[in-house]
Amino acid sequence: NDAHLWAEKYSGTLDDIFDVQEKVSRSITAALKLKLTPEESQKIAERPIDNVAAYQCYLRANVEIWRFTESSLNSALVHLQQGLDMLGANALLYSAMASVYFQLANIGAGQEDCIAKAEEYAQRALALDPDSPQGHFVMGVIAGAFRGDLHEWIRRLKAALAISPNFVDALGFLAGPYIVSVGKLAAAEPLLQRMKQIDPLNPWNHVFLGLFLRYDGQYAASLDPFRRYYEADQDNPYAQFSY
């Protein structure tokens, strides 16, 4: 009914941002009178990277990973190495390193050596944190893209979503094999809707919607999402190819 339930002001520095995030989450939970399970309460307190500068390195790298150029991927490696130099071993940074090497193989800038490094870093991430959704994600896409194992792709991405239901990359890339490889469009559609609901500004929404429409035979309709993706990043080779 549009009644105002909660509002608050917080002050601090960027170094306090993770503390502020947890306080906001718990305050909203209390205002909505929600009762958290012990697991949910633990999730709120989790910090995969408890260092703002290192987390910024991760975020910058994550943008570069999906720009599909060798230079952007080399830039991502630099950012991630800076983060590892600050933190030491870290599951989130290791899984991002795995994604970089996966992508280098994916665009043809490397092959067996990059696939092996991708698997190595993903396994390092999972050794540190067996419940790393990003680790399961990378192992899944490697299995599907380079090992021809669609069952493992789907199993791994379902495992990632069981751990982190709002992990948008896993939602999209789980929809991918349903659309492209096995033709189960009905299974893909709710995944794409959830992805858009969680992260409406994510450019991958356009990619997977375009794929969905194209494989559904709606060729004219598929042009619009691919055009939006291209307009958002015109130097991206995959955006150019799709459009």
Side-chain angles (χ1 to χ4, degrees), residues 188-223:
E189 190 169 15
L191 298 170
L192 301 184
Q193 290 174 347
R194 180 157 177 74
M195 182 183 178
K196 185 176 181 181
Q197 181 185 40
I198 293 167
D199 190 0
L201 300 181
N202 191 319
W204 280 98
N205 288 319
H206 304 311
V207 176
F208 288 115
L209 176 59
L211 286 174
F212 179 90
L213 293 169
R214 191 175 83 193
Y215 279 84
D216 195 37
Q218 302 182 55
Y219 302 115
S222 73
L223 184 60

Side-chain angles (χ1 to χ4, degrees), residues 17-209:
I17 193 66
F18 296 119
D19 290 329
V20 171
Q21 177 176 282
E22 182 178 346
K23 288 175 183 175
V24 170
S25 299
R26 294 192 183 281
S27 296
I28 292 173
T29 300
L32 296 176
K33 297 182 173 60
L34 300 177
K35 184 173 177 59
L36 299 179
T37 66
E39 292 79 11
E40 289 169 336
S41 184
Q42 182 181 351
K43 283 279 186 188
I44 287 179
E46 280 180 358
R47 297 172 190 181
I49 297 180
D50 197 4
N51 177 298
V52 171
Y55 190 56
Q56 286 180 321
C57 290
Y58 167 76
L59 293 176
R60 292 190 181 107
N62 206 41
V63 172
E64 300 292 347
I65 287 169
W66 300 108
R67 301 206 66 221
F68 290 92
T69 68
E70 189 171 2
S71 62
S72 69
L73 291 165
N74 287 331
S75 177
L77 287 176
V78 171
H79 289 310
L80 292 171
Q81 189 57 57
Q82 289 173 342
L84 287 168
D85 289 343
M86 295 178 206
L87 290 181
N90 178 270
L92 190 59
L93 294 177
Y94 278 157
S95 65
M97 289 287 266
S99 291
V100 173
Y101 284 109
F102 162 79
Q103 201 69 297
L104 282 167
N106 191 33
I107 68 170
Q111 201 48 243
E112 287 301 324
D113 57 333
C114 286
I115 297 170
K117 285 183 178 180
E119 289 177 322
E120 176 190 343
Y121 275 108
Q123 288 163 354
R124 284 195 202 180
L126 290 167
L128 286 175
D129 179 9
D131 288 333
S132 165
Q134 293 84 4
H136 285 290
F137 169 79
V138 182
M139 289 297 288
V141 294
I142 291 169
F146 299 120
R147 305 302 184 207
D149 191 343
L150 291 178
H151 291 290
E152 181 67 359
W153 181 345
I154 291 170
R155 186 187 74 81
R156 285 281 191 175
L157 268 63
K158 284 184 174 179
L161 288 169
I163 297 163
S164 180
N166 291 340
F167 184 14
V168 292
D169 289 350
L171 286 166
F173 280 81
L174 178 57
Y178 286 143
I179 296 170
V180 176
S181 301
V182 296
K184 293 186 176 181
L185 297 182
E189 190 169 15
L191 298 170
L192 301 184
Q193 290 174 347
R194 180 157 177 74
M195 182 183 178
K196 185 176 181 181
Q197 181 185 40
I198 293 167
D199 190 0
L201 300 181
N202 191 319
W204 280 98
N205 288 319
H206 304 311
V207 176
F208 288 115
L209 176 59

